[in-house]
Structures are given as C-alpha cells and as structure tokens.
Amino acid sequence: MTLTSRQRLLATTLLAGTAMLATPAFAQDAANPARAAQTGTPADAASTAPDAAQTQGGVNTDDPTAVSATDPAAQANGAAGQGDEPAGDIVVTGSRIASPSATAASPLQVIGAAQIQQSGVINVQDVLLQNPTFGTPGVSRTNSSFATQGAGIATVNLRNLGEDRTLVLVNGRRFVSGLPGSQAVDLNVIPTQFLERVDVLTGGASAVYGSDAVAGVVNLVYKTKFDGVQLDAQTGISEYGDGFDRQVNLLAGKNFADGRGNIMVFGGYSKQGTVLKRDRSTEAGSSAIDRTSLANLTGRDEDLFTPVELLSGYTPGGRFFAGDRTFSYGTDNVLRDCSDVSCGGFNRSDSRYLAVPVERYVAALRGNFEVSTALNFFVEGNYAKTKARSIIEAFPLSSDLVNLSNGGYVNVENQFGRNPYVPDAIFNAAVDNDADGFRDILFDRRLADFGPRTFRSDRDLFRIAGGANGKFGAEQQFNYEIYGIYGETKDDQIGSGQFDSRRFIQALNSYRNPATGAIECVDAAARADGCVPANLFGINSLAPAAGYIQAPTTLNSKVTQTVAGANVSGKLFSLFGADPIGFSVGGEYRRETSRNEFDLLTQQGLNGNNALPSTRGSFDLFEGFGETIVPLLQDRPFFHSLSVRGAVRVSDYSTIGTTVSYNYGGEWAPIQDVRFRVMQARSVRAPNINELFQPAQQDFPSGLQDPCLGVTAATGGTLGTQCRAAPGVLANIAANGGAFAVSQADLQGITSFGGGNPLLQEEKGDSFTAGVVINPRSIAGLRNLVVTVDYYKIRIKDAIVSTPLQFTLNQCYNGGLQQFCDQIVRRAGAIGPNSAGSLDEVNTSPINSGGVKTSGLDVVVDWRSNLANIGLAGNLNLKGSYTHLISGYTIPQPGADRDYFAGELGASRDRFTIQSGYDLEGVGLTVTGTWLGQASLDDQFTGARPGSNVAYRVRPQFYLDSQLRFRAAENFEFYVGGFNLLNNKPPFVADIGADAGQDTYTSAYDPLGRRYYAGVRLNF
C-alpha cells in the first residue's frame, strides 16, 4: 500500500493525538462497577491507579493496597479471576494456584471487555486478530467460500503454529471443537457481550491445561457479578453498499442472597452479509474478471505480480474432443470448430463469494450460588445455531468425471446406431479410442444448466459445564474444585449443482426408439428407474434431464467432548519469611469423539466432487497433574520478591500411550517497579482424530508450480533427468517446440489425496520465554505506565504435519528423492484438454516430521492518564503491541531442508497494533492502527529464502479503524465507527499465494474495504 502525504498526516495525527479510555459500561459488576469498563492490558505488574483520585465501586484508587479493575497491571494479573474461584483469590491464566498476589510467569496479554466493545466487531475473532501474537486464521468468513466443510467458521492461531496447537478455554476449562476431527474452537458460538476479558498466554502450557497448548492458550473469561439488563443493537454496511451486518443482544443478570448468588442469561442474533468477489479490487485492479499471474504460465520471475486475464476453458457451450478436432458452442449457441483457435472462456469470478454470509443465534447462561465458603455451586451453558451459505460458479464438468471406468471416453454411437443428439460434425470427426467398436469423444463443459454450486451449513452447538468449589482447612488455606463438562457440535450441510455420474452415463447413452420415434435411454433398467436422455450438445441443453442427473450433496457430522476433573490448591508453609508456598494437584478424564459422513456419492467420488470417505474416531485419556509456586525472598534489598515454580502432567491416551509435559521457571523483582520472569516448558500435542483415522480425502489444490515447466531435451542436472524420466514429459517436450509446457486446464486439473496415519505419535514442543515487566509506580507521571518485553522460542519435535505438496514436487525433481516421487502421478499422454506429462496427482499424508521452530520478541506498552493532573480535561490512553518474528520454519521430513515461513505471506516479521483514545464528558473517540510488515512469497514457490529477493516481496499494509461514542444519558449510549478507513486495497497474489478462489491472501489482508457501522447501548 502506498500512503499519500495527506493519509500519512491523518493517520499520524489520529494515532498520536487520541487515546482510549473505556467508556463506563451501563450494567455494572456489582462487586466492582469498574470491571466492565476495563481495556486490554499487558501482563503482570501489580500497580494501582492513584492518578484517578476517586472511589469506584467501593475501591479507592488512591489506596496503594487496593485492587482496581481500571488498573492495567492489576487487571493483567487476573484481578477479575477466571469466574468461579473462591472470593479473595486470584487465578491467573497459566496456573491453577489461587493466590491474592498471583502473577504470570509466561507472557500474558489481556483484552478487556471495553476493548472488545469499542472495536465494533460482531465476532471476537476479529478483535483477537489485531493482536500481533496471532497468525492468520485457518478458517474465517473471507477464506472459506471454497471449503467443503467449515465455511464461515472462525478460528485463531497463535504464533503461526496452527489452530490445533492453540488451546481455547472458557473460564480455564476446555470447550468443544467446532470442526470434526480437530480441536479448533469456533468463536462464532462465543457471545462477546458475555466476556469480562480474554487472556492470551503465549508459550507452552500443556503441563497446566493439557494437550494442544503448544503455542499457547486463549482463555475466554465470563463476567461473574453482572446485575442489571443491557441491550445493544448495531448495524453496518460497506462503502460499496454490500456486506450488510446487523446484531441485537440482550444480557440480563441478577445478584441474590445478599450477593452470595448470581445468575446471568444472554440471547443474541447477528447476521454478517454477503460480499461478492466481483465487487472488490486489489492493488492490481478489479477482481470482477478471472486473472492470474503471468509467472504462473511462463515461469518468468520478472512477471510475478503482473495480472493477466485468464478465463476458464470450461464454458457453458463446452468443448468436444473428437478425433483430432475440437468443437464448441459459442455464446450464440452455434457449433463451431475451434481446433486452431480459442474455444472461448468462462468468468468464474462473476459468482464467487468473497465473504461468506453467517447468521448466528446465540444463548448463554452462567450462575453460581455460595452455600458457604466451603461450598459454591456454579454452572455454565452455551447454545448456538450458526448458519452459513456459500455459492461458487457452476460445476466444471469433464467426461472423465462421468465415465470413470475408461478414462472419460463417451460413446456417440451404440448398438442401435448413432446417438440422435450428436451433431454431424462431431460424429464424423469421432473415432473409436477405447476399442469397443463404437465411436467416442471426450468433452468438458460448465454445468450452467444446473445453476451454481451452493452449500448451506446449519451448525448447532450445545455445552454445559458445572461443578462446585470452595475453601477448607483450619484457616481456609485450601481450595478445591470439582467439575464436569459435556459439549457437542452438529453440522448438517446440503449442497446443489452436483450430479450422479452413474445416472449421467446412462442418460448420455441414448437412441431413437423406431416404434415411437422418441429418444430414450438405451439401458432398460435405467429406463425403469426414470432415466431421461441427456443432450450434451448446446448451451442449457442438459436442463430437461437435470432432474434425473442432479444429486444433492449432504454432510452430517457430530463432535462430542466429555470432561470430568477435580483439583485442590492451597498454601503450605513459608520459607525465609516470604509468602507461603502454593500448590495445586488434580486429575482429569476426557473423551473426544468425531463423526463426519458425506453422502454415498461423495464418499465414492461419483458426483464429480472430491472423494471424501467417512471419518469416525474417538479417544480418551486420564491425566494427573501437579503445580507449585515457591516464594523464596520478599521485601528485602534487591529482592522485592523472588520465587520459583514448576508443574508436571502425566497423561495416558487410549491412542498413543503415556505422555509427560512439564514446566519450570522463576520471577525476580529487584524493586517493586521491575519484575523479570523466565519459563521453560515441555508441551505435548496428541494427534487428533483426523490425523489418526481419516481415510484418504481428495482435494484439488491451486497454485502448485510444476518444476518441469520449461525443461528441454538438453536441460542438465537432477531436474532434467527427473523430469524426462516420465514418458509423458518427453512427449510434451516434443509437442511444444522443445520445451515442456502446460495449459490452463493442466493447472486446474491437479488432484491430491491425503488421509490419516494411525502410526502417529505425539509431538513435543519445547518453549522458552524470558521477559521483563516495568511499572514505574514510584514515578508520579508514569505510575500508570506498564511496559513488557518478552523473548520467546518454540521448537516442536516430531511435529505432526502433512508434507506440503510443493515441497514434495521440489524434493522429487530438484532433489531426486524417490520417496517424494512416489507421491506424484503424471499423465502418460494427452487426455482431452490435459497435456501429456502434466501433473495428475500430488499426494500427501501426516507424519511426525523433522520439526517446527519459531522465535521472536513481543513488546507491549500501556499507558493511561487522567489529564486533570496536568490541568486538562478528559482521560487519555495509549496501548501498543509489537511482535518481531526472528525466525520460523518447518522441516517437512526428518533430515530435509528447512521450509521457512517467517517473513512469508501471513507471517510478516514485523507487526504492531496501536490503540488510542480520548474520553471527555460522555464523548469518546477510539482509533486503532494495525501494521503488517512486508512479506514474501512462499520459498517453496520462489526457491528464495523470505526477504532475500525484492522481486518476491509484498508491500506492507496499514489499517485504520475508529469508533466515536456519545453518552446521551446515564443509561443510553450511541456510537458510530468504521473499519479500514483508508480503504486499503489488498495485494494481488492470484495463483502465487492467494486463498482458494480469490485474488489475494484474504487470511491476512482485509479484502472488504471501507465499512461503517452504528449502534446503541441501553441499560436498565
């Protein structure tokens, strides 16, 4: 993106001259009214807010011993708790030990309710992705329009290590997955208005929380003491008049029994509207017409980002390959010979979704009742119905998907003579290719007769969690908790635009009945089944037979999770006069099941769709864990505090046996204002159900680059030898003037099969973090400043990965490694539109690979001030979060070369977000700026390490969002806001890095452009 000088001035002025302080929420937390107004904060000092000089909800912020929820450092330490711990104790994400002075030893960032509220987002995923510790999501509204499953789901991915290595919790407990066979949680089901805050703990945490916390933990913490009724409504639309969003939410809570009990209920509805690809642009111009990169066709580096119009060869008029001639029906529906000229093209971009519409109905409840300090009952409930819709272009049909038994040859005559629908020109040119005595042809065509392919997904989630906790012991120094969880996610999906290949081949085999003169299907059994003869020739000619040939696709899936656990924590004795030693021990049982069943035709690949066999699987495990925090010194010179800690967890899986995870570390505060922390952790991730049990699934990958492109008969070295070893490649070289070449049909005609591996073992992640927290409370003007700096390094041994397809190609043809060549199938000769020697299959499967490694630096600065202290009015806040990615790579196979991802698309080396705002007498302004540093194309495509070649670089991007709030009365607030106010156009990377079906990498770059919204909040 290139900013004009005016845009730079505007962005700088807004970011430097405004700051964010949360507008007070209307329905307050009865225990602490300020809590609902907290903002996201960096982690882990224990400062107060003496600058505020006021009492909020019974907490005097001038008192240096008080804990205020408006205090960034105290809030980062978990002052609000995780929702269910006994009163007076704090449980910080990353530990199960409750303590009045708990801190986090691993890097912890907190996103508060006000930050979520002031972002204007419908889904909490959108505000989390502004945090630079998160990588690109595996699934979101803008990257899932081509997904066979999971369209519209919202997931998160810490450290670019993947959703399955990011553990999502609610109130410190597990939440059922939204994707079959995976552990990824769908954030669509989380009501943002129910959240007190979101804790983001980076670094391994398996010893505390169990498997999947290799990259870290996202802990969604609910409100606890909400009393009142809060109603909010919001609507929004893009500058282009589409993407109409709306939501309405009702939150009600009541404290009872003198504050010993509380019940909260929530109901909400939201709908995020459709955005079509044709209505947006990239930096290279409009996305209304199919375009690719010239490099994809020529292999020339200098044209990497040059857009070239390239329509699909699958047209409604079709192409018919008869003998050595090719025929097609033009837009005038007249047959023509196009053997030596273009047969025309079809624009797929005209009907593609850029953003999938998602509709949500969400309900939630939370309650607790304290019978006594020894017994407090709690319950959580969630229900969500999510509806997602997707439309893509009509099916690109080729005859090999109809006649599966003989390579796609379709007869144009039979035992009764000539098929009556076949035009003379095609019949006369046809020959007998399969030696069955009848002339045949190959064909392809766009199935526009059946309309576009549509997918409708209805997902239902139900979760209930409950238990009891309390204190016991002579001095009530021990805490206990017993809990149980059951959750399930069901997904019922139906699609259209597909066909039954068995019926299709019967319908194509027709004759004219001499007795009646009617055209009928040849096969008597098919006629008895209602067979309708199909006319393949002409635009919309298949429509009369569509009712017989069409076959809807269906998918039914169910994921369940059952958890039961108990733990005891408490305080033991003191060493050297410091705080008492804290400990926690406990056990947990968990069972996960997953079932994923497509219709029978899809399972067998008999409808032109990916062949997707059913997946069923389950596993369970028993775990035991223990943790301790040992304060060593306290309130001594150079040792305001010094403590060490450690944790261990032993897990016994029904699938992989016993695993062990652990962590150890320490904290040292030489003075109250500065605290150093260090943590070493071993985390494990057991293979999930898909990775273990999934049968081979078919996929149609895009963007693969054939290393043999341009190879000649004289090309030397391993590349030339490996490519020419395939007979089809030699034939291709001879047919294309001495150099191997591919067509557009070849690029689109690659398939891939990949399934589970029951021999997988757990992956082991070793993470090291070291950092400092600075909160200069002793300096009057800086006592509300918190700065954290943390270094992290994560190395995953035996990482579970599916070998990247481009890596497989490169290792076979550039490295000469036979085990990779065994995963590749090339066409021996030309078949229809596909060239001899072109790639037919590139396959993969998950293995315990050579590993994954990443490292980097996080810096978070949070500062707020009541400007009355310097003679001005209002409140000012600035928060900046910056991540520098030092390194990141995977080793797809043990002993293989590194596949770098640090610095590539979606993993920029430098990212930062600045949130700023200003509040004055009921008016508040919030401005958020997000910077994505420059990135490079995948090194598997370019052969160059990210950042090493300017020709492969994508420019940085800066996004600006804002919200303006007006508090018209004590119980009424009106607000307006906007996203991507600079209306950035995303980079053009079609076919060289874009998400499926798009012109840009929608997972990282905003493709939707400038959007506006307005809303109201009411409190009763």
Side-chain angles (χ1 to χ4, degrees):
M1 180 194 71
T2 302
L3 293 176
T4 66
S5 58
R6 179 174 295 182
Q7 287 172 323
R8 291 192 189 95
L9 180 60
L10 173 63
T12 303
T13 302
L14 286 172
L15 288 171
T18 63
M20 175 179 68
L21 185 67
T23 300
F26 301 129
Q28 301 288 7
D29 183 319
N32 187 347
R35 265 185 202 164
Q38 65 205 356
T39 62
T41 63
D44 293 342
S47 70
T48 56
D51 285 347
Q54 58 184 329
T55 298
Q56 299 181 342
V59 177
N60 185 349
T61 55
D62 276 332
D63 179 1
T65 65
V67 176
S68 168
T70 61
D71 168 6
Q75 191 51 235
N77 279 323
Q82 289 186 3
D84 298 310
E85 71 282 355
D89 287 326
I90 298 168
V91 177
V92 177
T93 297
S95 172
R96 293 180 182 270
I97 298 176
S99 168
S101 58
T103 59
S106 293
L108 175 68
Q109 297 186 41
V110 179
I111 299 168
Q115 182 177 337
I116 298 171
Q117 178 177 285
Q118 293 171 12
S119 68
V121 301
I122 291 178
N123 193 310
V124 70
Q125 180 199 48
D126 294 320
V127 71
L128 292 179
L129 292 180
Q130 291 179 340
N131 189 302
T133 62
F134 288 94
T136 57
V139 192
S140 69
R141 275 209 320 138
T142 57
N143 71 6
S144 59
S145 62
F146 267 68
T148 56
Q149 187 168 6
I153 278 178
T155 63
V156 286
N157 160 24
L158 277 171
R159 302 295 190 203
N160 293 288
L161 294 178
E163 285 85 352
D164 284 313
R165 298 188 182 110
T166 302
L167 180 58
V168 176
L169 307 172
V170 170
N171 288 335
R173 291 180 284 269
R174 285 184 175 266
F175 202 90
V176 64
S177 172
L179 278 173
S182 168
Q183 299 299 318
V185 172
D186 179 13
L187 295 181
N188 280 306
V189 306
I190 303 298
T192 56
Q193 293 76 7
F194 222 56
L195 295 175
E196 176 85 357
R197 69 183 196 274
V198 181
D199 293 346
V200 181
L201 181 84
T202 56
S206 289
V208 177
Y209 295 114
S211 183
D212 311 322
V214 176
V217 169
V218 177
N219 188 18
L220 306 158
V221 182
Y222 286 165
K223 294 180 170 72
T224 57
K225 297 291 185 179
F226 184 87
D227 194 306
V229 178
Q230 182 174 303
L231 174 67
D232 63 82
Q234 178 178 312
T235 186
I237 196 168
S238 79
E239 184 173 274
Y240 305 92
D242 57 9
F244 181 54
D245 298 338
R246 55 273 201 194
Q247 65 170 324
V248 59
N249 304 287
L250 178 66
L251 173 64
K254 179 64 177 177
N255 293 319
F256 59 91
D258 297 324
R260 292 186 295 119
N262 176 267
I263 183 72
M264 294 193 308
V265 294
F266 171 85
Y269 169 80
S270 66
K271 187 171 184 179
Q272 296 172 278
T274 305
V275 177
L276 296 174
K277 178 184 176 184
R278 69 187 183 210
D279 295 328
R280 289 298 186 274
S281 300
T282 67
E283 291 178 341
S286 172
S287 294
I289 298 177
D290 282 359
R291 294 187 300 174
T292 187
S293 162
L294 188 60
N296 201 304
L297 300 179
T298 65
R300 291 184 294 172
D301 291 347
E302 64 269 22
D303 296 312
L304 276 173
F305 299 101
T306 302
V308 178
E309 183 177 306
L310 187 64
L311 301 180
S312 170
Y314 291 78
T315 68
R319 289 180 296 188
F320 305 92
F321 306 93
D324 59 355
R325 311 305 297 169
T326 303
F327 300 88
S328 179
Y329 286 87
T331 56
D332 56 1
N333 208 19
V334 174
L335 184 69
R336 57 196 178 95
D337 188 325
C338 56
S339 304
D340 303 313
V341 296
S342 170
C343 294
F346 176 83
N347 181 28
R348 298 167 297 172
S349 293
D350 189 56
S351 55
R352 288 181 172 176
Y353 277 3
L354 182 58
V356 173
V358 177
E359 187 174 21
R360 302 187 302 167
Y361 300 84
V362 180
L365 69 86
R366 185 212 164 271
N368 75 282
F369 179 70
E370 184 180 347
V371 179
S372 68
T373 56
L375 182 61
N376 175 68
F377 292 105
F378 63 90
V379 65
E380 301 165 5
N382 293 81
Y383 172 76
K385 176 176 278 294
T386 307
K387 299 181 178 181
R389 306 290 183 266
S390 183
I391 298 176
I392 57 177
E393 66 273 6
F395 190 86
L397 175 70
S398 57
S399 55
D400 61 326
L401 298 177
V402 177
N403 195 351
L404 305 176
S405 61
N406 70 343
Y409 291 107
V410 174
N411 289 343
V412 294
E413 62 178 346
N414 51 56
Q415 63 269 36
F416 298 104
R418 172 177 167 177
N419 184 314
Y421 290 124
V422 182
D424 291 342
I426 295 177
F427 183 82
N428 293 334
V431 297
D432 181 7
N433 291 284
D434 56 5
D436 64 352
F438 302 118
R439 301 188 193 195
D440 51 57
I441 62 172
L442 296 169
F443 72 88
D444 62 45
R445 61 174 288 160
R446 184 71 53 178
L447 270 185
D449 322 63
F450 292 4
R453 285 169 285 174
T454 66
F455 303 92
R456 185 180 75 236
S457 177
D458 292 319
R459 287 187 288 272
D460 291 275
L461 174 137
F462 169 77
R463 178 182 183 266
I464 186 76
N469 55 29
K471 292 176 175 290
F472 66 95
E475 299 179 358
Q476 294 191 329
Q477 71 271 36
F478 300 113
N479 305 312
Y480 75 91
E481 181 178 74
I482 302 171
Y483 58 91
I485 305 169
Y486 176 77
E488 66 176 40
T489 302
K490 294 181 178 179
D491 188 2
D492 296 315
Q493 181 174 300
I494 188 168
S496 65
Q498 307 292 135
F499 58 89
D500 183 335
S501 63
R502 301 167 303 178
R503 287 191 165 195
F504 209 148
I505 196 63
Q506 296 291 356
L508 289 176
N509 188 22
S510 60
Y511 79 111
R512 189 178 297 278
N513 188 326
T516 64
I519 300 176
E520 299 178 356
C521 300
V522 168
D523 188 90
R527 291 198 303 272
D529 190 41
C531 181
V532 177
N535 180 8
L536 195 63
F537 307 97
I539 296 175
N540 209 36
S541 60
L542 285 172
Y548 175 72
I549 298 172
Q550 277 184 318
T553 60
T554 62
L555 166 66
N556 301 109
S557 66
K558 182 178 180 180
V559 179
T560 70
Q561 180 185 74
T562 305
V563 183
N567 62 79
V568 175
S569 65
K571 308 172 186 67
L572 298 175
F573 51 87
S574 296
L575 295 176
F576 315 114
D579 285 340
I581 294 172
F583 77 95
S584 174
V585 293
E588 190 170 82
Y589 169 79
R590 176 162 55 98
R591 176 175 170 80
E592 307 269 359
T593 74
S594 180
R595 169 178 57 83
N596 201 49
E597 294 181 342
F598 285 90
D599 58 272
L600 291 176
L601 292 177
T602 300
Q603 291 182 40
Q604 301 171 70
L606 294 177
N607 59 359
N609 212 335
N610 303 11
L612 302 172
S614 295
T615 300
R616 287 176 176 264
S618 66
F619 66 86
D620 63 359
L621 65 150
F622 293 88
E623 301 183 283
F625 52 85
E627 178 186 3
T628 186
I629 298 176
V630 182
L632 297 175
L633 296 174
Q634 189 171 328
D635 297 326
R636 299 188 183 188
F638 302 109
F639 290 96
H640 176 72
S641 66
L642 174 67
S643 64
V644 295
R645 64 175 65 202
V648 64
R649 174 179 291 251
V650 179
S651 307
D652 184 23
Y653 286 84
S654 60
T655 50
I656 59 171
T658 301
T659 68
V660 178
S661 56
Y662 55 84
N663 67 44
Y664 55 89
E667 301 157 90
W668 171 48
I671 58 175
Q672 188 179 21
D673 297 358
V674 179
R675 182 165 61 89
F676 298 94
R677 58 192 180 191
V678 64
M679 179 69 79
Q680 178 74 46
R682 159 65 62 89
S683 293
V684 298
R685 184 178 79 85
N688 61 37
I689 290 173
N690 279 348
E691 291 165 337
L692 287 170
F693 305 119
Q694 189 177 68
Q697 309 279 299
Q698 188 179 18
D699 190 17
F700 293 94
S702 61
L704 291 181
Q705 306 296 306
D706 190 339
C708 295
L709 187 66
V711 165
T712 69
T715 299
T718 301
L719 177 63
T721 301
Q722 291 293 104
C723 289
R724 290 191 298 269
V729 172
L730 289 173
N732 184 299
I733 292 172
N736 287 285
F740 182 82
V742 295
S743 66
Q744 183 193 7
D746 298 329
L747 298 174
Q748 294 176 283
I750 305 171
T751 190
S752 176
F753 289 90
N757 179 358
L759 300 179
L760 288 173
Q761 290 295 303
E762 75 276 9
E763 59 182 28
K764 307 175 188 69
D766 292 317
S767 63
F768 172 79
T769 60
V772 60
V773 182
I774 303 172
N775 175 216
R777 71 187 71 194
S778 58
I779 303 174
L782 299 178
R783 63 187 59 183
N784 288 325
L785 171 68
V786 181
V787 179
T788 67
V789 181
D790 288 284
Y791 167 80
Y792 69 89
K793 180 175 69 175
I794 303 173
R795 185 186 299 273
I796 304 173
K797 302 175 183 177
D798 302 318
I800 301 169
V801 299
S802 290
T803 307
L805 303 184
Q806 191 66 53
F807 182 87
T808 295
L809 289 168
N810 294 343
Q811 293 300 306
C812 171
Y813 293 104
N814 296 319
L817 301 177
Q818 188 58 42
Q819 65 265 38
F820 293 97
C821 297
D822 292 340
Q823 301 296 315
I824 301 169
V825 178
R826 289 186 178 272
R827 296 179 177 91
I831 303 176
N834 294 116
S835 308
S838 59
L839 292 170
D840 186 9
E841 295 180 18
V842 184
N843 300 318
T844 187
S845 64
I847 62 170
N848 288 109
S849 75
V852 178
K853 190 251 184 181
T854 185
S855 64
L857 189 70
D858 295 328
V859 179
V860 181
V861 179
D862 190 292
W863 178 74
R864 64 184 62 184
S865 178
N866 184 333
L867 297 182
N869 296 318
I870 57 174
L872 300 175
N875 296 296
L876 189 66
N877 175 277
L878 286 170
K879 179 185 177 183
S881 303
Y882 166 73
T883 293
H884 174 67
L885 184 55
I886 297 173
S887 66
Y889 59 82
T890 64
I891 302 176
Q893 292 272 353
D897 294 334
R898 296 174 177 179
D899 178 5
Y900 292 95
F901 64 79
E904 292 184 347
L905 291 176
S908 301
R909 287 192 179 274
D910 296 287
R911 290 185 58 191
F912 69 78
T913 297
I914 295 178
Q915 297 152 347
S916 57
Y918 179 73
D919 282 81
L920 173 66
E921 296 180 353
V923 178
L925 174 66
T926 299
V927 179
T928 301
T930 302
W931 171 270
L932 305 180
Q934 74 174 16
S936 297
L937 298 177
D938 189 342
D939 63 323
Q940 295 299 310
F941 165 61
T942 64
R945 187 167 177 172
S948 64
N949 190 325
V950 295
Y952 306 142
R953 294 178 185 170
V954 175
R955 288 178 291 182
Q957 300 288 313
F958 178 77
Y959 297 104
L960 191 67
D961 306 329
S962 185
Q963 185 185 97
L964 183 62
R965 302 175 299 281
F966 304 91
R967 191 175 183 187
E970 183 65 25
N971 63 346
F972 177 83
E973 183 181 63
F974 170 73
Y975 59 93
V976 294
F979 305 110
N980 195 356
L981 293 177
L982 301 179
N983 202 27
N984 289 30
K985 301 295 189 297
F988 174 81
V989 290
D991 293 323
I992 52 175
D995 282 308
Q998 307 300 342
D999 284 351
T1000 188
Y1001 190 42
T1002 56
S1003 296
Y1005 303 111
D1006 180 3
L1008 303 181
R1010 188 181 291 126
R1011 288 101 69 201
Y1012 307 101
Y1013 63 88
V1016 295
R1017 299 188 183 99
L1018 299 172
N1019 174 67
F1020 304 98

